């Protein structure tokens, strides 16, 4: 891996890492807050997808939350790449980028209101969702895999990899529903309680991003260097 830069040049990256983590947490507060607010009336809305909020007066909250998640994810990836955890052209970084692109499509093209029939926007929205949901587990596992046995970053890598695996497992009910649709023709979104499954999937994927954010914050600690052999070193600030 690349040797890290002197401590005083790490302040912008450290700010980006903390800012990325804060953006992801704020996403959880905004979107989770909408769910909690509506729980006072009924739990029926939990059977519907989170994107349903984009069809009502809360659309601005939903869009803001998703765009914050995109911005936070990009910032976290940029810090990890800048400090040698990954390279921009690596499969893990590209998958992380695909996660962000998919989420952006979800905002630009709102969910279709099936009560009035299909639409191009709805189709693109569904495509963006599938790209994001599939890409994030792949990104987490690929970014972490080279570091799993590293003496310094192994723990961060294992947590990131673990939540990548959990995210992949959380996606399997949707794969099952699609398989049922292919075999017997039942609409795949009717095979499972899609709203609950999606919320579990989103939760595991967002936590995976937060775990990656903790890793990004760790690599920007002042005075800490990642050498080519993965050894952890400290350099006094006076010599930086």
């Amino acid at each position: 891996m690349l040797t890290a830069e002197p401590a005083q040049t790490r302040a912008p990256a450290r700010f980006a890492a903390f800012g990325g983590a804060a953006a992801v947490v704020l996403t959880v507060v905004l979107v989770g807050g909408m769910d909690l607010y509506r729980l006072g009336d009924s739990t029926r809305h939990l059977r519907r997808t989170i994107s349903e909020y984009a069809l009502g007066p809360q659309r601005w909250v939903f869009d803001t939350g998703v765009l914050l998640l995109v911005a936070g994810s990009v910032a976290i990836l940029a810090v990890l790449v800048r400090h040698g955890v990954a390279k921009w052209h690596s499969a893990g970084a590209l998958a992380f980028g695909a996660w962000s692109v998919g989420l952006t499509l979800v905002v630009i093209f709102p969910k279709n209101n099936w009560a009035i029939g299909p639409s191009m926007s709805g189709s693109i929205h569904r495509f963006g969702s599938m790209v994001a949901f599939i890409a994030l587990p792949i990104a987490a596992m690929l970014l972490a895999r080279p570091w799993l046995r590293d003496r310094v970053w192994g723990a961060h890598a294992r947590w990131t990899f673990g939540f990548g695996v959990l995210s992949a497992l959380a996606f399997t009910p949707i794969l099952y529903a699609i398989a049922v649709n292919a075999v017997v023709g039942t609409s795949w979104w009717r095979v499972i309680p899609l709203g609950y499954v999606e919320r579990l999937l989103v939760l595991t994927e967002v936590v995976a991003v937060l775990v990656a954010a903790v890793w990004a914050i760790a690599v920007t600690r002042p005075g800490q260097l990642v050498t080519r052999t993965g050894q952890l070193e400290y350099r006094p600030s006076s010599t930086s």
Side-chain angles (χ1 to χ4, degrees), residues 6-220:
Q8 67 262 31
T9 66
R10 289 185 163 216
R14 192 161 177 80
F15 177 81
F18 274 106
V24 176
V25 171
L26 189 53
T27 296
V28 175
V29 172
L30 289 174
V31 178
M34 289 191 293
D35 274 350
L36 290 174
Y37 177 77
R38 295 189 63 183
L39 277 177
D41 299 325
S42 169
T43 61
R44 195 172 300 173
H45 69 282
L46 295 178
R47 295 187 62 86
R48 301 172 182 173
T49 63
I50 301 172
S51 300
E52 289 278 350
Y53 286 121
L55 300 178
Q58 299 88 9
R59 178 178 177 178
W60 70 272
V61 181
F62 172 82
D63 287 352
T64 300
V66 176
L67 290 177
L68 280 169
L69 181 57
V70 171
S73 298
V74 171
I76 292 162
L77 176 61
V79 171
L80 291 174
V81 170
R82 178 67 181 86
H83 290 273
V85 173
K87 296 181 179 179
W88 280 118
H89 56 78
S90 67
L94 292 175
F96 214 105
W99 150 262
S100 299
V101 171
L103 291 177
T104 303
L105 291 176
V106 165
V107 173
I108 297 175
F109 300 95
K111 176 183 173 68
N112 182 56
N113 184 351
W114 292 103
I116 60 175
S119 69
M120 179 65 72
S121 175
S123 298
I124 297 175
H125 177 93
R126 179 176 293 176
F127 171 77
S129 299
M130 295 296 285
V131 168
F133 289 154
I134 293 172
L136 195 278
I138 295 173
M141 289 185 283
L142 290 181
L143 285 172
R145 190 165 62 92
W147 299 91
L148 290 175
R149 297 186 178 182
D150 186 79
R151 186 174 66 84
V152 177
W153 305 119
H156 289 284
R158 287 189 290 273
W159 276 100
T160 303
F161 189 91
F163 274 98
V165 172
L166 285 177
S167 298
L169 291 175
F171 188 73
T172 54
I174 295 177
L175 293 179
Y176 166 76
I178 293 173
V180 171
N181 170 255
V183 174
V184 301
T186 304
S187 299
W188 68 271
W189 58 88
R190 297 184 185 277
V191 176
I192 56 176
L194 185 57
Y196 290 106
V197 171
E198 185 191 58
R199 282 168 173 79
L200 175 62
L201 175 58
V202 169
L203 178 62
T204 57
E205 296 200 343
V206 168
V207 173
V209 175
L210 281 174
V211 170
V214 173
W215 194 355
I217 291 170
V219 299
T220 62

